[in-house]
C-alpha cells in the first residue's frame, strides 16, 4: 500500500557540482568596501544579497567554497543527470517566497511525488499494517504535542507512547532522524511542535542547487574566499579574507550553527557568549545520501518511489528510487546511525546501502550497480552537518540568534523559529537579516522598504507531520 500525503497529514494530530550558471563570481579583485558584506552564499546569503541589491545598496557576498548554494548543491558531474546532494524539496508553495522566483527562473519546477511505501522484510506492508503505522504516528505526534505544552521542555523520545509495538522504530525514524537529522531522544518537543507543517514538496528538475545558483546571477560574489576574521562595532565592520579586507557598515553572517560555534571565524571583539551558546545548542543533525545508479530498474519500483522499512533499530534508511525519472536511487541515512556510518567513509556507506537494499529486495539487483556516490555533510568543513536541531530546552535559542550583534546580523536556517532546517526558512531569514541591516545603516527609504519581502511565517496551527506526506528532505 502506498501512503499518500493525505494519509500522513490525517495521521498526524499534532502536527563539476553546481554549475556556475554565470553566478556573478567575482572576476575582479575583491572590493575594499561595501555597504553590507554577506558571509556565505547559501540560500540565506543569496536572499539577503538580493534584498540589499533591491534597496540599491552595495553588497558583496563572500563564500568559502568554490560553489554557490551551501547545503543546496546540485551535482551535475558525477552522473548523467543532476542530483541534489543537499536539499531537494521546497515546501509550502503558497507561502514560500522562493516559489515565485523559482517559477519565473526558467527552470522546470514540479510537484514532487507524495506517495510512500513501507517494506516489511521482503514484501510491502499490507493495508492493515500501514494503517497500524499511521495510527502509531498519530499517537506519537499527539504525545509530543501534549508534552510541548508542559512546563519543562523534554525530548520527543521521552514522551513516546510505550505501545507503538512493531512500529516504534519506524515512527522514531520518520519523525526524528529522517525529518530532522537527529534521533528523537536529541530533539526538543517544543522545537518540533513549533515547526511549521512542511506540506507539498516541490522539486526543480535541474536541481534545487541549480535554482539557488540561478537566483544568484545578479549578486556580486567572491567564491573561494573564506572570512577568517570579522572586526565589528556598533558602527562598522571589517571582514578579513585571504584575498584582502572589506570594510562595510554592516555584515550578515549566514554560516551554519556548527561553523559559528566552532569558532572558525574569529570575531574581534568576541561575539557574546549568549549567541555562541545558542548556536551550540542548535547544533546540526546528520543527513546524507548514498546514490546508486541502477539502470534497468532492477528493484522493480516506479518513478520517484519512496520506500521506508518496518525497523526496530536506528540502522535504517529511506529509499528514493528512479529519481526524476532516472536510474538513480538514493538511500538516505540520518541521525546517530547516519552520523556513525558517514564517519566511516564512502565505501562503508555504499556497502550499507547494498546490504540494506538486499535485506529488502533480495540480492539479484546488486549486480546492476553501475556507479555510486555518497555525501558526507558532517565532514564538509564549511557546513559541518545537515540542519539545526534544538536539544530539549534550546528552542528559545533560535530567537537569540536573531538579536543584532553591533552592526552584525546572523541569518540561516537555524535562526528561523518555525522553518528551521529548510531552504525556505534560510531564505526568509536572509531577507529578514537584510532588512535589519538596511535599517541599521539607514538605507530603508519608504520606496526600498516596499520591495517585496516575505513576512516571517509564524505557526498558526499545531504543526502536523514533520515528514512525508511532504517529504522533509
Ligand atoms: C542532505 C540534506 C538534505 C536536505 N533536504 C532538504 C529539503 O529537501 N528541503 C529543505 O527545505 N531543506 C533541506 N535541507 C536543509 C537545507 O539544505 C538547509 O536548511 C539550507 O540549505 C541552509 O541554508 P543556509 O543558507 O542557512 O546555510 P548554508 O547552506 O550552510 O550556507 C552557508 C554558507 O556559508 C559558507 N561559509 C561557511 N563558512 C564560511 C566562511 N568562513 N566564509 C565564507 N563563507 C562561509 C558555506 O560554505 C555555505 O555556503 C537539507 C539539508 C541536507 C544536508
Amino acid at each position: 500500500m502506498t501512503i499518500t500525503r493525505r494519509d500522513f497529514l490525517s495521521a498526524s494530530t499534532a502536527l563539476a557540482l553546481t554549475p556556475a550558471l554565470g553566478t556573478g563570481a567575482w572576476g575582479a579583485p575583491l572590493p575594499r568596501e561595501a555597504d553590507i558584506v554577506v558571509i556565505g552564499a547559501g540560500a540565506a546569503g543569496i536572499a539577503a544579497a538580493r534584498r540589499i541589491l533591491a534597496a540599491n545598496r552595495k553588497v558583496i557576498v563572500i563564500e568559502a567554497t568554490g560553489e554557490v548554494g551551501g547545503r543546496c548543491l546540485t551535482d551535475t558531474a558525477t552522473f548523467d543527470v543532476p542530483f541534489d546532494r543537499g536539499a531537494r524539496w521546497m515546501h509550502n508553495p503558497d507561502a514560500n517566497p522562493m516559489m515565485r522566483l523559482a517559477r519565473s527562473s526558467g527552470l522546470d519546477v514540479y510537484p514532487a511525488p507524495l506517495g510512500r511505501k513501507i517494506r516489511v522484510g521482503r514484501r510491502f506492508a499490507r493495508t492493515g499494517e500501514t494503517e497500524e503505522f499511521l495510527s502509531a504516528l498519530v499517537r506519537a505526534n499527539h504525545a509530543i504535542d501534549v508534552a510541548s505544552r508542559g512546563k519543562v521542555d523534554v525530548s520527543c523520545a521521552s514522551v513516546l507512547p510505550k505501545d507503538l509495538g512493531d512500529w516504534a522504530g519506524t515512527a522514531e525514524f520518520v519523525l526524528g532522524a529522517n525529518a530532522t537529522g537527529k534521533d528523537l531522544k536529541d530533539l526538543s518537543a517544543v522545537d518540533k511542535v513549533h515547526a511549521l507543517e512542511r506540506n507539498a514538496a516541490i522539486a526543480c528538475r535541474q536541481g534545487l542547487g541549480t535554482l539557488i545558483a540561478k537566483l544568484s546571477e545578479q549578486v556580486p560574489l567572491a567564491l573561494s574566499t573564506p572570512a577568517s576574521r570579522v572586526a565589528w562595532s556598533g558602527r562598522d565592520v571589517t571582514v578579513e579574507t585571504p584575498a584582502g579586507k572589506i570594510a562595510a557598515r554592516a555584515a550578515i553572517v549566514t554560516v551554519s550553527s556548527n561553523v559559528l560555534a566552532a569558532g572558525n571565524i574569529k570575531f574581534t571583539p568576541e561575539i557574546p557568549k549568549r549567541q555562541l551558546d545558542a548556536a551550540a545548542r542548535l547544533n546540526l543533525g546528520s543527513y546524507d545520501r548514498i546514490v546508486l545508479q541502477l539502470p534497468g530498474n532492477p528493484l522493480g519500483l516506479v518513478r520517484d518511489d519512496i520506500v521506508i522499512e518496518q525497523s526496530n533499530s536506528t540502522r535504517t534508511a529511506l529509499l528514493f528510487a528512479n529519481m526524476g525519472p532516472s536510474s538513480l536511487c538514493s538511500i538516505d541515512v540520518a541521525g546517530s546511525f547516519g552520523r556513525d556510518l558517514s564517519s566511516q567513509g564512502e565505501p562503508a556507506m555504499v556497502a550499507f546501502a547494498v546490504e540494506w537494499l538486499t535485506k529488502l529486495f533480495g540480492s539479484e539487483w546488486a549486480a546492476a550497480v553501475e556507479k555510486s556516490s555518497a555525501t558526507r555533510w558532517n565532514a564538509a568543513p564549511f557546513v559541518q552537518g545537515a540542519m539545526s536541531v534544538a536539544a530539549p530546552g534550546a528552542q528559545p535559542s533560535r530567537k537569540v540568534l536573531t538579536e543584532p550583534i553591533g552592526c552584525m546580523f546572523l541569518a540561516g536556517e537555524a535562526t528561523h523559529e518555525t522553518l528551521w532546517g529548510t531552504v525556505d526558512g534560510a531564505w526568509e531569514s536572509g531577507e529578514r537579516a537584510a532588512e535589519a541591516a538596511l535599517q541599521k545603516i539607514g538605507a530603508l527609504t519608504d520606496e526600498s522598504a516596499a520591495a517585496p519581502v516575505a513576512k516571517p511565517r509564524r505557526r498558526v496551527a499545531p504543526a502536523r507531520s514533520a515528514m512525508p506526506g511532504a517529504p522533509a528532505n
Side-chain angles (χ1 to χ4, degrees):
M1 177 182 171
T2 298
I3 308 171
T4 64
R5 183 171 104 71
R6 182 183 297 269
D7 291 328
F8 266 93
L9 293 182
S10 62
S12 171
T13 59
L15 308 189
L17 295 172
T18 302
L21 265 178
T23 50
W26 204 257
L30 197 68
R32 293 290 164 242
E33 52 85 30
D35 289 315
I36 301 174
V37 181
V38 176
I39 300 177
I46 298 305
R50 288 173 57 104
R51 178 65 190 96
I52 296 162
L53 286 178
N56 292 319
R57 295 294 153 157
K58 189 172 168 193
V59 64
I60 174 81
V61 180
I62 59 168
E63 166 56 45
T65 69
E67 269 92 28
V68 174
R71 282 169 272 173
C72 289
L73 199 58
T74 304
D75 182 339
T76 58
T78 306
F79 302 103
D80 50 5
V81 290
F83 94 90
D84 280 312
R85 298 183 72 86
R88 65 178 157 211
W89 313 118
M90 289 177 282
H91 302 288
N92 311 314
D94 295 338
N96 187 333
M98 294 176 65
M99 282 310 303
R100 182 183 52 82
L101 300 170
R103 289 193 176 112
S104 57
S105 68
L107 300 177
D108 185 7
V109 177
Y110 65 99
L114 298 172
R116 299 288 173 282
K117 291 174 180 160
I118 304 177
R119 208 78 177 155
V120 178
R122 291 212 181 162
R123 63 171 174 81
F124 285 110
R126 302 186 177 102
T127 304
E129 290 169 322
T130 303
E131 279 163 3
E132 271 176 31
F133 171 59
L134 292 173
S135 156
L137 275 189
V138 167
R139 287 182 294 125
N141 268 327
H142 180 65
I144 294 167
D145 197 28
V146 170
S148 74
R149 288 184 243 126
K151 281 203 179 109
V152 179
D153 190 12
V154 293
S155 80
C156 294
S158 68
V159 298
L160 283 187
K162 302 288 175 245
D163 59 351
L164 300 180
D166 290 341
W167 295 106
T170 314
E172 286 216 30
F173 174 69
V174 165
L175 297 174
N178 188 250
T180 70
K182 279 204 186 162
D183 301 346
L184 285 184
K185 67 178 170 29
D186 300 318
L187 174 55
S188 143
V190 174
D191 205 33
K192 175 150 169 47
V193 172
H194 261 74
L196 264 180
E197 181 183 315
R198 281 126 209 221
N199 70 19
I202 310 291
C204 175
R205 196 162 315 281
Q206 293 85 352
L208 203 46
T210 305
L211 173 63
I212 299 291
K214 178 100 179 152
L215 296 179
S216 76
E217 274 175 356
Q218 306 305 321
V219 171
L221 279 168
L223 299 179
S224 306
T225 307
S228 50
R229 179 176 294 278
V230 181
W232 61 278
S233 70
R235 281 193 322 278
D236 52 25
V237 60
T238 301
V239 178
E240 289 180 25
T241 80
K245 293 183 185 180
I246 310 166
R249 297 168 66 199
I252 296 175
V253 181
T254 73
V255 302
S256 73
S257 50
N258 276 25
V259 168
L260 189 66
N264 293 12
I265 304 176
K266 306 292 172 220
F267 291 91
T268 316
E270 291 271 8
I271 60 176
K273 185 169 178 317
R274 177 177 164 76
Q275 266 98 355
L276 274 185
D277 286 350
R281 299 177 84 206
L282 294 169
N283 62 4
L284 303 181
S286 180
Y287 198 107
D288 280 300
R289 308 224 142 95
I290 306 153
V291 182
L292 305 180
Q293 186 164 18
L294 291 177
N297 190 19
L299 299 176
L301 296 168
V302 299
R303 171 190 163 168
D304 290 335
D305 241 350
I306 296 186
V307 181
I308 55 174
E309 65 161 336
Q310 184 186 60
S311 168
N312 58 10
S313 95
T314 53
R315 193 179 166 81
T316 188
L318 174 143
L319 166 66
F320 183 26
N322 306 323
M323 306 189 292
S326 72
S327 58
L328 298 190
C329 296
S330 91
I331 294 91
D332 293 0
V333 291
S336 58
F337 166 65
R339 185 180 296 281
D340 286 351
L341 183 66
S342 72
S343 72
Q344 294 166 38
E346 201 168 321
M349 297 173 81
V350 173
F352 165 76
V354 171
E355 171 206 315
W356 186 71
L357 286 180
T358 299
K359 185 175 76 167
L360 301 186
F361 293 95
S363 56
E364 299 74 35
W365 64 275
V369 179
E370 205 162 73
K371 208 173 190 184
S372 63
S373 178
T375 67
R376 298 181 62 226
W377 284 102
N378 304 322
F382 294 108
V383 176
Q384 305 184 10
M387 55 282 276
S388 72
V389 182
Q395 192 278 335
S397 299
R398 298 201 185 275
K399 199 167 172 57
V400 171
L401 288 185
T402 64
E403 295 167 3
I405 308 169
C407 62
M408 285 194 302
F409 301 84
L410 303 182
E413 55 86 15
T415 68
H416 204 294
E417 285 187 84
T418 58
L419 290 169
W420 49 268
T422 68
V423 181
D424 43 322
W427 190 271
E428 275 195 13
S429 78
E431 291 188 330
R432 178 175 61 192
E435 289 278 309
L438 287 166
Q439 233 145 27
K440 174 80 180 167
I441 67 170
L444 275 191
T445 62
D446 288 349
E447 203 176 291
S448 57
V453 171
K455 290 207 178 89
R457 279 172 276 162
R458 303 224 146 249
R459 182 169 173 262
V460 289
R464 290 175 180 268
S465 63
M467 139 85 201
N473 300 308

